[in-house]
Amino acid sequence: MKDDLLNHFNIQGFQENLIAWYQANKRNLPWRENQDPYRVWVSEIMLQQTKVDTVIPYFQRFMEKFPDVYRLASADEQDVLKAWEGLGYYSRARNLQSAVREVVSEYDGKIPDNKEALGKLKGIGPYTKGAILSIAFQQPEPAVDGNVMRVLSRVLHITDNIAEAKVKKQFEPIVTKMISKEDPSSFNQGLMELGAMVCTPKSPLCLFCPVQEYCRAFLKGDQENLPIKSKAKKPKKVAYIALLLKQGKEKIIIEKRKEQGLLANLWQFPMIPSKGKTVHEAEEWFEAKYGWAIQIGKHAGKLKHVFTHLIWELEIYEADVLYAPKKSKLKSVNIHELSQYPFPVSHQKMMKYLH
DNA sequence: AAGCCGGGGCG
DNA sequence: CGCCCAGGCTT
């Protein structure tokens, strides 16, 4: 990336227009009620990879349940995951709680206001660190997210591939040069708000843009072609038989997922990798793995669930328990108790096939 | 540097 | 339905 990008750029004019526009047009969002570092932190973690409209109700409920670092630190992880249920990227919730516990034990419950300590906390990377420092503590630190990269690649006509780590990194010194020292919070939030409301990925509303006069892409009519970004590769398909496994009339069998990896520590209905398996072989696989004898019955439906790098193709079957061992990693619960456990969305959809 | 982590919205 | 969005951690 060229290092003279800002040589003939009117930084002060850009700052003034951006901040004035932000002050006049910012949305009233729950995490903007005050600058409480804890609220800023929680909101920024939730907002990673997640749209504002999706986050709002989760944020409200989360703040009622866990209003401060002490309440979150002392909570049961399953309750935290339950509050995160449906939001996705569940490691965010587990890392947040782990980091909050560190704040309580190492920093007397005070969220650090310096980048060294803040950046070491679990789940706080370069973006979140900058967002907390600028929004909660008014420090002139860059907070480069996808919105900021899109806005700046247009304004400065940057044509490097923003999917590359080294290109992402180069936005930080640029923002450091551009950021308002008087109001870094409004500057960073203004960039992100502009990216969300005006400088959108498709059909940006350049006619309403407060920094149109500073935008090199607009000058060239090139805004629709920026940023340059290579595409992710296609996710792999994985087929499963997913079981609505009943034990008597009232009980249903669920299991807790592993501590690591996909959907860690969430609950699910038992799943059998089904590639090339007959239903009978699936029953045998299940008995070999869990020690439970089961009989797979009626095919109840199918679900497709798309993750970033994976597609689950679930064939849903009803099944009955023929024999259950005394001790097992499977759990038998009353159907009415299912709502107490955190389930991924794919398995929440499976519940519709229960009767 | 590349792969792993969810879920929702849009056309 | 396919396509787009996108921080942080792990390998």
Side-chain angles (χ1 to χ4, degrees), chain A residues 139-185:
Chain A
Q139 294 178 25
E141 294 293 328
V144 177
D145 71 350
N147 286 311
V148 172
M149 285 193 286
R150 183 172 59 256
V151 170
L152 292 185
S153 64
R154 286 173 178 164
V155 169
L156 300 174
H157 204 272
I158 292 167
T159 55
D160 303 89
N161 178 7
I162 65 164
E164 292 176 21
K166 68 174 193 325
V167 173
K168 290 182 187 175
K169 262 304 180 202
Q170 294 180 61
F171 281 89
E172 289 174 8
I174 293 173
V175 173
T176 301
K177 289 195 184 109
M178 295 178 79
I179 195 169
S180 161
K181 306 294 182 288
E182 290 73 39
D183 193 353
S185 169

mmCIF file of all heavy atoms in Angstrom, chain A residues 139-185:
data_model
loop_
_atom_site.group_PDB
_atom_site.id
_atom_site.type_symbol
_atom_site.label_atom_id
_atom_site.label_comp_id
_atom_site.label_asym_id
_atom_site.label_seq_id
_atom_site.Cartn_x
_atom_site.Cartn_y
_atom_site.Cartn_z
ATOM 1 N N GLN A 139 -9.494 7.625 23.775
ATOM 2 C CA GLN A 139 -8.096 7.607 23.338
ATOM 3 C C GLN A 139 -8.033 7.474 21.816
ATOM 4 O O GLN A 139 -8.811 6.732 21.226
ATOM 5 C CB GLN A 139 -7.347 6.444 24.004
ATOM 6 C CG GLN A 139 -7.220 6.606 25.515
ATOM 7 C CD GLN A 139 -6.525 5.414 26.161
ATOM 8 O OE1 GLN A 139 -5.750 4.714 25.517
ATOM 9 N NE2 GLN A 139 -6.812 5.194 27.435
ATOM 10 N N PRO A 140 -7.096 8.177 21.169
ATOM 11 C CA PRO A 140 -7.033 8.191 19.701
ATOM 12 C C PRO A 140 -6.417 6.923 19.123
ATOM 13 O O PRO A 140 -5.349 6.955 18.528
ATOM 14 C CB PRO A 140 -6.175 9.428 19.406
ATOM 15 C CG PRO A 140 -5.301 9.580 20.603
ATOM 16 C CD PRO A 140 -6.097 9.087 21.782
ATOM 17 N N GLU A 141 -7.102 5.798 19.302
ATOM 18 C CA GLU A 141 -6.623 4.507 18.819
ATOM 19 C C GLU A 141 -7.486 4.036 17.654
ATOM 20 O O GLU A 141 -8.708 4.229 17.667
ATOM 21 C CB GLU A 141 -6.682 3.473 19.949
ATOM 22 C CG GLU A 141 -5.729 3.749 21.091
ATOM 23 C CD GLU A 141 -4.267 3.608 20.683
ATOM 24 O OE1 GLU A 141 -3.980 2.771 19.800
ATOM 25 O OE2 GLU A 141 -3.430 4.351 21.229
ATOM 26 N N PRO A 142 -6.888 3.403 16.654
ATOM 27 C CA PRO A 142 -7.668 2.920 15.508
ATOM 28 C C PRO A 142 -8.550 1.723 15.883
ATOM 29 O O PRO A 142 -8.159 0.907 16.722
ATOM 30 C CB PRO A 142 -6.595 2.501 14.500
ATOM 31 C CG PRO A 142 -5.386 2.193 15.327
ATOM 32 C CD PRO A 142 -5.458 3.112 16.514
ATOM 33 N N ALA A 143 -9.724 1.652 15.292
ATOM 34 C CA ALA A 143 -10.620 0.494 15.461
ATOM 35 C C ALA A 143 -11.090 0.109 14.063
ATOM 36 O O ALA A 143 -12.101 0.598 13.575
ATOM 37 C CB ALA A 143 -11.793 0.840 16.371
ATOM 38 N N VAL A 144 -10.320 -0.770 13.432
ATOM 39 C CA VAL A 144 -10.555 -1.075 12.020
ATOM 40 C C VAL A 144 -11.406 -2.333 11.880
ATOM 41 O O VAL A 144 -10.943 -3.437 12.137
ATOM 42 C CB VAL A 144 -9.219 -1.256 11.278
ATOM 43 C CG1 VAL A 144 -9.474 -1.640 9.822
ATOM 44 C CG2 VAL A 144 -8.386 0.018 11.372
ATOM 45 N N ASP A 145 -12.646 -2.152 11.488
ATOM 46 C CA ASP A 145 -13.508 -3.295 11.173
ATOM 47 C C ASP A 145 -13.820 -3.259 9.668
ATOM 48 O O ASP A 145 -13.242 -2.479 8.916
ATOM 49 C CB ASP A 145 -14.780 -3.272 12.028
ATOM 50 C CG ASP A 145 -15.721 -2.150 11.623
ATOM 51 O OD1 ASP A 145 -15.329 -1.274 10.830
ATOM 52 O OD2 ASP A 145 -16.877 -2.152 12.096
ATOM 53 N N GLY A 146 -14.721 -4.125 9.243
ATOM 54 C CA GLY A 146 -15.049 -4.197 7.827
ATOM 55 C C GLY A 146 -15.626 -2.896 7.292
ATOM 56 O O GLY A 146 -15.342 -2.504 6.143
ATOM 57 N N ASN A 147 -16.444 -2.232 8.089
ATOM 58 C CA ASN A 147 -17.001 -0.940 7.673
ATOM 59 C C ASN A 147 -15.893 0.069 7.396
ATOM 60 O O ASN A 147 -15.913 0.766 6.382
ATOM 61 C CB ASN A 147 -17.926 -0.374 8.759
ATOM 62 C CG ASN A 147 -19.241 -1.104 8.836
ATOM 63 O OD1 ASN A 147 -19.905 -1.311 7.830
ATOM 64 N ND2 ASN A 147 -19.618 -1.520 10.033
ATOM 65 N N VAL A 148 -14.950 0.142 8.335
ATOM 66 C CA VAL A 148 -13.871 1.122 8.220
ATOM 67 C C VAL A 148 -13.015 0.830 6.989
ATOM 68 O O VAL A 148 -12.653 1.746 6.240
ATOM 69 C CB VAL A 148 -13.024 1.127 9.510
ATOM 70 C CG1 VAL A 148 -11.775 1.984 9.339
ATOM 71 C CG2 VAL A 148 -13.864 1.630 10.676
ATOM 72 N N MET A 149 -12.718 -0.449 6.754
ATOM 73 C CA MET A 149 -11.925 -0.789 5.563
ATOM 74 C C MET A 149 -12.667 -0.429 4.278
ATOM 75 O O MET A 149 -12.069 0.051 3.325
ATOM 76 C CB MET A 149 -11.575 -2.279 5.576
ATOM 77 C CG MET A 149 -10.482 -2.611 6.573
ATOM 78 S SD MET A 149 -9.797 -4.258 6.339
ATOM 79 C CE MET A 149 -11.119 -5.276 6.968
ATOM 80 N N ARG A 150 -13.980 -0.641 4.274
ATOM 81 C CA ARG A 150 -14.753 -0.307 3.076
ATOM 82 C C ARG A 150 -14.775 1.205 2.845
ATOM 83 O O ARG A 150 -14.520 1.685 1.739
ATOM 84 C CB ARG A 150 -16.178 -0.847 3.184
ATOM 85 C CG ARG A 150 -17.007 -0.599 1.931
ATOM 86 C CD ARG A 150 -18.341 -1.311 1.985
ATOM 87 N NE ARG A 150 -19.159 -0.925 3.114
ATOM 88 C CZ ARG A 150 -19.345 -1.643 4.210
ATOM 89 N NH1 ARG A 150 -18.764 -2.805 4.349
ATOM 90 N NH2 ARG A 150 -20.099 -1.189 5.189
ATOM 91 N N VAL A 151 -15.057 1.967 3.900
ATOM 92 C CA VAL A 151 -15.122 3.429 3.777
ATOM 93 C C VAL A 151 -13.769 3.977 3.322
ATOM 94 O O VAL A 151 -13.686 4.762 2.376
ATOM 95 C CB VAL A 151 -15.533 4.069 5.117
ATOM 96 C CG1 VAL A 151 -15.363 5.585 5.065
ATOM 97 C CG2 VAL A 151 -16.978 3.710 5.457
ATOM 98 N N LEU A 152 -12.699 3.540 3.985
ATOM 99 C CA LEU A 152 -11.382 4.117 3.682
ATOM 100 C C LEU A 152 -10.829 3.635 2.346
ATOM 101 O O LEU A 152 -10.121 4.387 1.663
ATOM 102 C CB LEU A 152 -10.402 3.822 4.815
ATOM 103 C CG LEU A 152 -10.730 4.537 6.129
ATOM 104 C CD1 LEU A 152 -9.643 4.282 7.155
ATOM 105 C CD2 LEU A 152 -10.933 6.038 5.918
ATOM 106 N N SER A 153 -11.155 2.402 1.966
ATOM 107 C CA SER A 153 -10.661 1.972 0.652
ATOM 108 C C SER A 153 -11.322 2.790 -0.447
ATOM 109 O O SER A 153 -10.718 3.035 -1.494
ATOM 110 C CB SER A 153 -10.881 0.473 0.440
ATOM 111 O OG SER A 153 -12.247 0.170 0.429
ATOM 112 N N ARG A 154 -12.534 3.272 -0.188
ATOM 113 C CA ARG A 154 -13.198 4.147 -1.156
ATOM 114 C C ARG A 154 -12.671 5.581 -1.065
ATOM 115 O O ARG A 154 -12.287 6.169 -2.071
ATOM 116 C CB ARG A 154 -14.720 4.111 -0.943
ATOM 117 C CG ARG A 154 -15.349 2.809 -1.437
ATOM 118 C CD ARG A 154 -16.809 2.702 -1.066
ATOM 119 N NE ARG A 154 -17.410 1.470 -1.591
ATOM 120 C CZ ARG A 154 -18.568 0.959 -1.174
ATOM 121 N NH1 ARG A 154 -19.256 1.571 -0.225
ATOM 122 N NH2 ARG A 154 -19.028 -0.159 -1.705
ATOM 123 N N VAL A 155 -12.668 6.110 0.131
ATOM 124 C CA VAL A 155 -12.251 7.517 0.303
ATOM 125 C C VAL A 155 -10.822 7.718 -0.219
ATOM 126 O O VAL A 155 -10.527 8.700 -0.908
ATOM 127 C CB VAL A 155 -12.349 7.928 1.785
ATOM 128 C CG1 VAL A 155 -11.670 9.269 2.023
ATOM 129 C CG2 VAL A 155 -13.812 8.002 2.212
ATOM 130 N N LEU A 156 -9.940 6.763 0.077
ATOM 131 C CA LEU A 156 -8.527 6.915 -0.302
ATOM 132 C C LEU A 156 -8.185 6.137 -1.575
ATOM 133 O O LEU A 156 -7.034 6.092 -1.993
ATOM 134 C CB LEU A 156 -7.636 6.459 0.856
ATOM 135 C CG LEU A 156 -7.825 7.233 2.166
ATOM 136 C CD1 LEU A 156 -7.006 6.618 3.292
ATOM 137 C CD2 LEU A 156 -7.445 8.703 1.979
ATOM 138 N N HIS A 157 -9.197 5.496 -2.159
ATOM 139 C CA HIS A 157 -9.022 4.663 -3.357
ATOM 140 C C HIS A 157 -7.897 3.655 -3.195
ATOM 141 O O HIS A 157 -6.918 3.617 -3.954
ATOM 142 C CB HIS A 157 -8.785 5.525 -4.603
ATOM 143 C CG HIS A 157 -9.170 4.809 -5.868
ATOM 144 N ND1 HIS A 157 -8.309 3.989 -6.566
ATOM 145 C CD2 HIS A 157 -10.345 4.763 -6.542
ATOM 146 C CE1 HIS A 157 -8.926 3.483 -7.612
ATOM 147 N NE2 HIS A 157 -10.170 3.938 -7.635
ATOM 148 N N ILE A 158 -8.060 2.814 -2.176
ATOM 149 C CA ILE A 158 -7.098 1.738 -1.913
ATOM 150 C C ILE A 158 -7.558 0.492 -2.660
ATOM 151 O O ILE A 158 -8.699 0.046 -2.489
ATOM 152 C CB ILE A 158 -7.009 1.470 -0.391
ATOM 153 C CG1 ILE A 158 -6.374 2.672 0.299
ATOM 154 C CG2 ILE A 158 -6.225 0.189 -0.122
ATOM 155 C CD1 ILE A 158 -6.525 2.669 1.811
ATOM 156 N N THR A 159 -6.673 -0.079 -3.482
ATOM 157 C CA THR A 159 -7.077 -1.201 -4.342
ATOM 158 C C THR A 159 -6.464 -2.528 -3.918
ATOM 159 O O THR A 159 -6.554 -3.515 -4.638
ATOM 160 C CB THR A 159 -6.683 -0.911 -5.806
ATOM 161 O OG1 THR A 159 -5.273 -0.634 -5.851
ATOM 162 C CG2 THR A 159 -7.455 0.272 -6.349
ATOM 163 N N ASP A 160 -5.840 -2.561 -2.740
ATOM 164 C CA ASP A 160 -5.307 -3.832 -2.251
ATOM 165 C C ASP A 160 -6.438 -4.731 -1.766
ATOM 166 O O ASP A 160 -7.504 -4.258 -1.378
ATOM 167 C CB ASP A 160 -4.329 -3.572 -1.105
ATOM 168 C CG ASP A 160 -3.198 -2.645 -1.514
ATOM 169 O OD1 ASP A 160 -3.371 -1.414 -1.369
ATOM 170 O OD2 ASP A 160 -2.169 -3.153 -1.981
ATOM 171 N N ASN A 161 -6.164 -6.025 -1.755
ATOM 172 C CA ASN A 161 -7.155 -7.025 -1.353
ATOM 173 C C ASN A 161 -7.324 -7.025 0.174
ATOM 174 O O ASN A 161 -6.441 -7.480 0.900
ATOM 175 C CB ASN A 161 -6.691 -8.393 -1.848
ATOM 176 C CG ASN A 161 -7.643 -9.497 -1.443
ATOM 177 O OD1 ASN A 161 -8.721 -9.250 -0.896
ATOM 178 N ND2 ASN A 161 -7.250 -10.727 -1.716
ATOM 179 N N ILE A 162 -8.497 -6.544 0.635
ATOM 180 C CA ILE A 162 -8.684 -6.406 2.096
ATOM 181 C C ILE A 162 -8.913 -7.738 2.799
ATOM 182 O O ILE A 162 -9.030 -7.795 4.013
ATOM 183 C CB ILE A 162 -9.846 -5.451 2.444
ATOM 184 C CG1 ILE A 162 -11.181 -6.019 1.963
ATOM 185 C CG2 ILE A 162 -9.600 -4.058 1.893
ATOM 186 C CD1 ILE A 162 -12.385 -5.340 2.602
ATOM 187 N N ALA A 163 -8.950 -8.837 2.041
ATOM 188 C CA ALA A 163 -9.052 -10.155 2.679
ATOM 189 C C ALA A 163 -7.697 -10.590 3.243
ATOM 190 O O ALA A 163 -7.630 -11.493 4.075
ATOM 191 C CB ALA A 163 -9.560 -11.189 1.685
ATOM 192 N N GLU A 164 -6.614 -9.929 2.795
ATOM 193 C CA GLU A 164 -5.283 -10.327 3.250
ATOM 194 C C GLU A 164 -4.936 -9.647 4.576
ATOM 195 O O GLU A 164 -5.158 -8.451 4.757
ATOM 196 C CB GLU A 164 -4.228 -9.953 2.200
ATOM 197 C CG GLU A 164 -4.358 -10.758 0.922
ATOM 198 C CD GLU A 164 -3.360 -10.311 -0.142
ATOM 199 O OE1 GLU A 164 -2.342 -9.678 0.230
ATOM 200 O OE2 GLU A 164 -3.619 -10.591 -1.322
ATOM 201 N N ALA A 165 -4.357 -10.439 5.482
ATOM 202 C CA ALA A 165 -4.039 -9.946 6.827
ATOM 203 C C ALA A 165 -3.115 -8.739 6.767
ATOM 204 O O ALA A 165 -3.298 -7.760 7.502
ATOM 205 C CB ALA A 165 -3.422 -11.072 7.653
ATOM 206 N N LYS A 166 -2.126 -8.801 5.893
ATOM 207 C CA LYS A 166 -1.155 -7.697 5.873
ATOM 208 C C LYS A 166 -1.793 -6.405 5.370
ATOM 209 O O LYS A 166 -1.408 -5.318 5.799
ATOM 210 C CB LYS A 166 0.063 -8.076 5.027
ATOM 211 C CG LYS A 166 -0.170 -8.218 3.534
ATOM 212 C CD LYS A 166 1.183 -8.438 2.862
ATOM 213 C CE LYS A 166 1.248 -8.308 1.368
ATOM 214 N NZ LYS A 166 0.180 -8.702 0.517
ATOM 215 N N VAL A 167 -2.791 -6.515 4.525
ATOM 216 C CA VAL A 167 -3.506 -5.316 4.051
ATOM 217 C C VAL A 167 -4.379 -4.751 5.168
ATOM 218 O O VAL A 167 -4.397 -3.539 5.414
ATOM 219 C CB VAL A 167 -4.345 -5.634 2.802
ATOM 220 C CG1 VAL A 167 -5.217 -4.438 2.417
ATOM 221 C CG2 VAL A 167 -3.437 -6.042 1.643
ATOM 222 N N LYS A 168 -5.082 -5.639 5.874
ATOM 223 C CA LYS A 168 -5.890 -5.179 7.017
ATOM 224 C C LYS A 168 -5.035 -4.393 7.996
ATOM 225 O O LYS A 168 -5.435 -3.344 8.505
ATOM 226 C CB LYS A 168 -6.513 -6.382 7.746
ATOM 227 C CG LYS A 168 -7.608 -7.077 6.964
ATOM 228 C CD LYS A 168 -8.214 -8.218 7.773
ATOM 229 C CE LYS A 168 -9.179 -9.007 6.900
ATOM 230 N NZ LYS A 168 -9.720 -10.193 7.552
ATOM 231 N N LYS A 169 -3.854 -4.919 8.278
ATOM 232 C CA LYS A 169 -2.946 -4.291 9.236
ATOM 233 C C LYS A 169 -2.579 -2.869 8.821
ATOM 234 O O LYS A 169 -2.361 -1.995 9.653
ATOM 235 C CB LYS A 169 -1.666 -5.128 9.372
ATOM 236 C CG LYS A 169 -1.674 -6.058 10.574
ATOM 237 C CD LYS A 169 -1.927 -5.254 11.826
ATOM 238 C CE LYS A 169 -1.942 -6.087 13.079
ATOM 239 N NZ LYS A 169 -2.677 -5.438 14.173
ATOM 240 N N GLN A 170 -2.519 -2.626 7.521
ATOM 241 C CA GLN A 170 -2.062 -1.321 7.044
ATOM 242 C C GLN A 170 -3.103 -0.222 7.222
ATOM 243 O O GLN A 170 -2.785 0.956 7.066
ATOM 244 C CB GLN A 170 -1.644 -1.431 5.571
ATOM 245 C CG GLN A 170 -0.420 -2.331 5.395
ATOM 246 C CD GLN A 170 0.025 -2.454 3.950
ATOM 247 O OE1 GLN A 170 0.381 -1.470 3.324
ATOM 248 N NE2 GLN A 170 -0.018 -3.666 3.421
ATOM 249 N N PHE A 171 -4.324 -0.603 7.542
ATOM 250 C CA PHE A 171 -5.325 0.434 7.802
ATOM 251 C C PHE A 171 -5.114 1.103 9.161
ATOM 252 O O PHE A 171 -5.553 2.231 9.373
ATOM 253 C CB PHE A 171 -6.741 -0.153 7.730
ATOM 254 C CG PHE A 171 -7.246 -0.325 6.329
ATOM 255 C CD1 PHE A 171 -7.009 -1.495 5.632
ATOM 256 C CD2 PHE A 171 -7.955 0.693 5.693
ATOM 257 C CE1 PHE A 171 -7.469 -1.657 4.330
ATOM 258 C CE2 PHE A 171 -8.416 0.549 4.395
ATOM 259 C CZ PHE A 171 -8.173 -0.632 3.703
ATOM 260 N N GLU A 172 -4.473 0.406 10.073
ATOM 261 C CA GLU A 172 -4.322 0.962 11.426
ATOM 262 C C GLU A 172 -3.480 2.239 11.450
ATOM 263 O O GLU A 172 -3.926 3.247 12.016
ATOM 264 C CB GLU A 172 -3.774 -0.114 12.376
ATOM 265 C CG GLU A 172 -4.825 -1.180 12.675
ATOM 266 C CD GLU A 172 -4.294 -2.347 13.481
ATOM 267 O OE1 GLU A 172 -3.134 -2.282 13.962
ATOM 268 O OE2 GLU A 172 -5.024 -3.334 13.645
ATOM 269 N N PRO A 173 -2.268 2.242 10.857
ATOM 270 C CA PRO A 173 -1.515 3.512 10.842
ATOM 271 C C PRO A 173 -2.233 4.619 10.064
ATOM 272 O O PRO A 173 -2.073 5.799 10.391
ATOM 273 C CB PRO A 173 -0.190 3.129 10.175
ATOM 274 C CG PRO A 173 -0.410 1.804 9.536
ATOM 275 C CD PRO A 173 -1.486 1.127 10.320
ATOM 276 N N ILE A 174 -3.031 4.247 9.078
ATOM 277 C CA ILE A 174 -3.790 5.261 8.333
ATOM 278 C C ILE A 174 -4.811 5.930 9.247
ATOM 279 O O ILE A 174 -4.913 7.168 9.301
ATOM 280 C CB ILE A 174 -4.481 4.619 7.112
ATOM 281 C CG1 ILE A 174 -3.434 4.162 6.088
ATOM 282 C CG2 ILE A 174 -5.459 5.603 6.478
ATOM 283 C CD1 ILE A 174 -4.014 3.382 4.937
ATOM 284 N N VAL A 175 -5.575 5.112 9.996
ATOM 285 C CA VAL A 175 -6.567 5.688 10.912
ATOM 286 C C VAL A 175 -5.870 6.493 12.006
ATOM 287 O O VAL A 175 -6.361 7.552 12.413
ATOM 288 C CB VAL A 175 -7.455 4.587 11.531
ATOM 289 C CG1 VAL A 175 -8.370 5.173 12.603
ATOM 290 C CG2 VAL A 175 -8.291 3.911 10.448
ATOM 291 N N THR A 176 -4.729 5.999 12.474
ATOM 292 C CA THR A 176 -3.999 6.736 13.503
ATOM 293 C C THR A 176 -3.666 8.145 13.029
ATOM 294 O O THR A 176 -3.719 9.103 13.804
ATOM 295 C CB THR A 176 -2.710 5.979 13.887
ATOM 296 O OG1 THR A 176 -3.079 4.680 14.376
ATOM 297 C CG2 THR A 176 -1.928 6.717 14.961
ATOM 298 N N LYS A 177 -3.346 8.284 11.738
ATOM 299 C CA LYS A 177 -3.061 9.623 11.203
ATOM 300 C C LYS A 177 -4.327 10.448 11.018
ATOM 301 O O LYS A 177 -4.325 11.668 11.151
ATOM 302 C CB LYS A 177 -2.349 9.513 9.853
ATOM 303 C CG LYS A 177 -0.909 9.015 9.964
ATOM 304 C CD LYS A 177 -0.160 9.289 8.660
ATOM 305 C CE LYS A 177 1.252 8.719 8.693
ATOM 306 N NZ LYS A 177 1.418 7.549 7.821
ATOM 307 N N MET A 178 -5.429 9.765 10.706
ATOM 308 C CA MET A 178 -6.652 10.506 10.358
ATOM 309 C C MET A 178 -7.507 10.869 11.562
ATOM 310 O O MET A 178 -8.299 11.808 11.520
ATOM 311 C CB MET A 178 -7.517 9.664 9.397
ATOM 312 C CG MET A 178 -6.892 9.413 8.043
ATOM 313 S SD MET A 178 -7.965 8.376 7.025
ATOM 314 C CE MET A 178 -9.164 9.596 6.470
ATOM 315 N N ILE A 179 -7.351 10.107 12.650
ATOM 316 C CA ILE A 179 -8.321 10.188 13.744
ATOM 317 C C ILE A 179 -8.292 11.557 14.446
ATOM 318 O O ILE A 179 -7.236 12.175 14.579
ATOM 319 C CB ILE A 179 -8.068 9.046 14.765
ATOM 320 C CG1 ILE A 179 -9.264 8.873 15.705
ATOM 321 C CG2 ILE A 179 -6.779 9.302 15.540
ATOM 322 C CD1 ILE A 179 -9.167 7.596 16.533
ATOM 323 N N SER A 180 -9.458 12.008 14.863
ATOM 324 C CA SER A 180 -9.570 13.260 15.615
ATOM 325 C C SER A 180 -9.000 13.080 17.019
ATOM 326 O O SER A 180 -9.357 12.142 17.721
ATOM 327 C CB SER A 180 -11.049 13.666 15.711
ATOM 328 O OG SER A 180 -11.226 14.597 16.759
ATOM 329 N N LYS A 181 -8.116 13.965 17.422
ATOM 330 C CA LYS A 181 -7.566 13.884 18.771
ATOM 331 C C LYS A 181 -8.547 14.467 19.780
ATOM 332 O O LYS A 181 -8.488 14.156 20.959
ATOM 333 C CB LYS A 181 -6.234 14.643 18.859
ATOM 334 C CG LYS A 181 -5.195 14.211 17.833
ATOM 335 C CD LYS A 181 -4.738 12.767 18.064
ATOM 336 C CE LYS A 181 -3.659 12.344 17.056
ATOM 337 N NZ LYS A 181 -4.193 12.148 15.689
ATOM 338 N N GLU A 182 -9.448 15.322 19.304
ATOM 339 C CA GLU A 182 -10.435 15.949 20.200
ATOM 340 C C GLU A 182 -11.573 14.989 20.516
ATOM 341 O O GLU A 182 -12.096 14.972 21.631
ATOM 342 C CB GLU A 182 -11.023 17.211 19.569
ATOM 343 C CG GLU A 182 -10.070 18.384 19.448
ATOM 344 C CD GLU A 182 -9.023 18.164 18.354
ATOM 345 O OE1 GLU A 182 -9.401 17.611 17.290
ATOM 346 O OE2 GLU A 182 -7.856 18.496 18.573
ATOM 347 N N ASP A 183 -11.982 14.187 19.524
ATOM 348 C CA ASP A 183 -13.121 13.287 19.732
ATOM 349 C C ASP A 183 -12.920 11.975 18.975
ATOM 350 O O ASP A 183 -13.614 11.687 18.006
ATOM 351 C CB ASP A 183 -14.414 13.980 19.284
ATOM 352 C CG ASP A 183 -15.662 13.235 19.750
ATOM 353 O OD1 ASP A 183 -15.516 12.113 20.295
ATOM 354 O OD2 ASP A 183 -16.771 13.765 19.558
ATOM 355 N N PRO A 184 -11.950 11.185 19.448
ATOM 356 C CA PRO A 184 -11.690 9.904 18.764
ATOM 357 C C PRO A 184 -12.897 8.971 18.772
ATOM 358 O O PRO A 184 -13.083 8.185 17.837
ATOM 359 C CB PRO A 184 -10.520 9.302 19.549
ATOM 360 C CG PRO A 184 -10.365 10.110 20.779
ATOM 361 C CD PRO A 184 -11.025 11.416 20.563
ATOM 362 N N SER A 185 -13.722 9.062 19.814
ATOM 363 C CA SER A 185 -14.901 8.204 19.892
ATOM 364 C C SER A 185 -15.845 8.479 18.732
ATOM 365 O O SER A 185 -16.260 7.567 18.016
ATOM 366 C CB SER A 185 -15.615 8.433 21.229
ATOM 367 O OG SER A 185 -16.881 7.801 21.224
#
